[in-house]
Amino acid sequence: MRVWLLPLALLAGASACTTDPDEPIATSEGPFYTRSGGSFDKLSLTPTDGAGIIESEAALGAALEAAGVKSRFRAFVEDKNGVCGLGAKRQNATVLAIEALSDSPTFAPGTYTQKQSPAPGQVDLSITKLDATCGSDQQDYGTESGTVTITSVTATIVTGTFDVTLMGGAGTLSGSFNVPLCPSLRSESCDP
């Protein structure tokens, strides 16, 4: 049972980030999210924005620290603009979310495997349709098995690929992501 990605932990403050639609990300590494295969057909995501954050041990909370997690990467790709500045939980948004856990204080590239409880080397990927109160309204598809490979981590961007089987017979999903990093990212409050 996937319980450690949603609801999302509260992170303080908004910050300047280059995910505004008038300021597309300055990279030749590709779009925020590319679906390259799979049989998942329950939700469609036409990404207009994406953002990620790397958090150190001090920001993780007691449960993750107790599990030996020393850093975490979280990414959100949505069909709404302003993820970095306005927040990652938006009314009526479709959201692809990734959370990868590491036992290193410095989050680094590597292959992370889907598991059912939080521990270093594990990852969770979900695709969710939020309603007007930011509830999932029964349209929340978490990962049953699979991997997410982080291919590059820089000071400004994280790239990777995913190949997962979704829970409840929802099918498979594979593709790639390319998200700019934000200094902080609100992910608890429900924003318009």
Side-chain angles (χ1 to χ4, degrees), residues 24-49:
I25 56 175
T27 178
S28 61
E29 297 185 44
F32 297 115
Y33 158 84
T34 301
R35 181 175 172 184
S36 62
S39 60
F40 177 72
D41 63 0
K42 309 291 185 199
L43 290 174
S44 62
L45 174 60
T46 306
T48 61
D49 201 5

Side-chain angles (χ1 to χ4, degrees), residues 4 9 56-70 72 101 118-120:
W4 48 284
S56 65
E57 191 172 13
L60 299 178
L64 290 179
E65 286 183 47
V69 176
K70 301 207 182 297
R72 166 173 67 178
L101 307 175

Side-chain angles (χ1 to χ4, degrees), residues 25-136:
I25 56 175
T27 178
S28 61
E29 297 185 44
F32 297 115
Y33 158 84
T34 301
R35 181 175 172 184
S36 62
S39 60
F40 177 72
D41 63 0
K42 309 291 185 199
L43 290 174
S44 62
L45 174 60
T46 306
T48 61
D49 201 5
I53 187 167
I54 294 176
E55 299 166 307
S56 65
E57 191 172 13
L60 299 178
L64 290 179
E65 286 183 47
V69 176
K70 301 207 182 297
S71 63
R72 166 173 67 178
F73 166 67
R74 294 189 309 145
F76 304 92
V77 176
E78 299 184 13
D79 56 0
K80 293 220 176 207
N81 293 321
V83 173
C84 185
L86 297 175
K89 199 169 182 184
R90 309 285 297 285
Q91 294 173 339
N92 303 307
T94 300
V95 182
L96 175 78
I98 299 168
E99 178 180 37
L101 307 175
S102 175
D103 62 359
S104 172
T106 305
F107 192 85
T111 298
Y112 296 80
T113 304
Q114 170 62 34
K115 299 291 182 189
Q116 300 302 317
S117 61
Q122 297 181 2
V123 69
D124 197 14
L125 182 146
S126 66
I127 186 166
T128 306
K129 175 64 177 172
L130 300 176
D131 62 20
T133 62
C134 294
S136 66

Side-chain angles (χ1 to χ4, degrees), residues 8 10 23 29 38 53 58 71 90-91 95 119 133-134 145 151 153-154 158 164 170 173 190-191:
L8 303 167
L10 175 63
E23 293 182 47
E29 297 185 44
I53 187 167
S71 63
R90 309 285 297 285
Q91 294 173 339
V95 182
T133 62
C134 294
S145 63
T151 55
V153 178
T154 71
V158 174
V164 299
L173 186 63
C190 183
D191 297 303

